Amino acid sequence: MSTEEAAEPPTKKVKEETTGWESHTLNSSEAFMKADEGRSFTSLATDSVSVLQGIGPVATRVLEVLKLKTVEDLAKYKFFLMARALLTLSETETEGGRPEGSVMNVDKAVDKEYESKSLKEIVAAPVSALEGLTDEAVELFGDLKVKTIGDLGNFKYCRWAEATVAITAYEETKTATERKKERMLSKLQ
C-alpha cells in the first residue's frame, strides 16, 4: 500500500456562515465589556447592567438598590428620563423668554420649591429636587458623583443604556444566511 493510499481522504471544506456584516466597522467598544463587544444591541439591551464597561462595585450597589438590573431597566429609569428631558429642554430656554399667560410647567417632575424656576436653574439644582427621588437614592448618586439634575441627565451609563435600547429598533438580527433561507421558504408557500 502506498503512502497516498494510506492517507485519509481529503475532508470537505465547511462553508462558513455569512452574517452579512463582515465588512461593517461600527463598534461600541468603549461602552461594553470586552467579552460582549461583538454581541447584538438587541441581546445587550436585555442583559445585566454588568455588560456596561466601568460598572464597578459602587455603581453595582447603586443600581441594585434602585432595582435597575438590565440595560433596558437603566435606559427607562424614570428619574434619568426626567433629568434628560429637563437638560435637553434647558438648552432651548431663553432668559426672560416666557410668554405671558404660558401654562408650560414641570410641576410633576420637581419638588414644590423648584416649580417656578427656569429650566437652567432646575438643571443646576441637586438631584434631590426631583419629585419622588428617595434620600437613599440621592446619597447613592452622590457616591457616583451625580450631584445635580444635569449630572443625572448626562450620566454616561444611563445614556449608553438609552442609546442601546433605542438602536435595537433599527438592528437587523438575522444573518444573511438566515434571511436568504427565510426568502426561499416564503417562495415555497
Side-chain angles (χ1 to χ4, degrees):
M1 200 189 263
S2 73
T3 55
E4 285 181 38
E5 291 174 321
E8 289 190 31
T11 57
K12 288 185 177 180
K13 272 192 171 180
V14 176
K15 187 176 179 182
E16 261 187 52
E17 182 178 357
T18 304
T19 64
W21 303 299
E22 289 79 8
S23 65
H24 287 39
T25 58
L26 69 83
N27 69 81
S28 290
S29 61
E30 300 293 318
F32 300 106
M33 298 299 288
K34 192 77 171 155
D36 299 301
E37 289 176 3
R39 294 176 49 201
S40 70
F41 289 114
T42 302
S43 71
L44 290 165
T46 58
D47 208 340
S48 164
V49 293
S50 65
V51 300
L52 295 171
Q53 195 174 113
I55 295 282
V58 173
T60 300
R61 187 177 114 251
V62 170
L63 298 175
E64 283 174 0
V65 169
L66 298 174
K67 296 179 178 33
L68 303 171
K69 296 180 187 326
T70 67
V71 172
E72 187 172 22
D73 292 341
L74 189 56
K76 295 179 177 180
Y77 180 50
K78 169 181 155 178
F79 296 104
F80 162 67
L81 295 175
M82 269 189 239
R84 187 83 163 146
L86 291 164
L87 179 63
T88 301
L89 291 170
S90 75
E91 296 165 1
T92 69
E93 187 174 62
T94 304
E95 189 176 338
R98 184 178 176 97
E100 193 164 323
S102 176
V103 295
M104 189 180 290
N105 70 83
V106 293
D107 292 1
K108 292 182 179 182
V110 296
D111 290 339
K112 190 85 172 150
E113 68 183 277
Y114 293 93
E115 289 177 358
S116 64
K117 304 280 186 194
S118 72
L119 288 167
K120 288 182 172 88
E121 290 172 308
I122 291 170
V123 167
V127 288
S128 60
L130 290 171
E131 189 170 302
L133 194 62
T134 66
D135 291 340
E136 183 181 26
V138 169
E139 185 180 323
L140 292 169
F141 277 127
D143 293 345
L144 296 176
K145 311 289 188 261
V146 174
K147 307 276 188 212
T148 67
I149 292 173
D151 293 342
L152 180 55
N154 270 325
F155 192 51
K156 70 180 180 181
Y157 301 114
C158 290
R159 289 179 36 241
W160 293 350
E162 179 184 44
T164 299
V165 170
I167 205 66
T168 62
Y170 308 101
E171 182 175 52
E172 176 59 68
T173 57
K174 295 178 184 163
T175 66
T177 304
E178 291 168 333
R179 293 189 306 265
K180 181 178 180 182
K181 185 177 180 180
E182 197 174 73
R183 283 191 305 272
M184 292 171 79
L185 285 172
S186 71
K187 288 180 183 179
L188 295 174
Q189 294 176 354

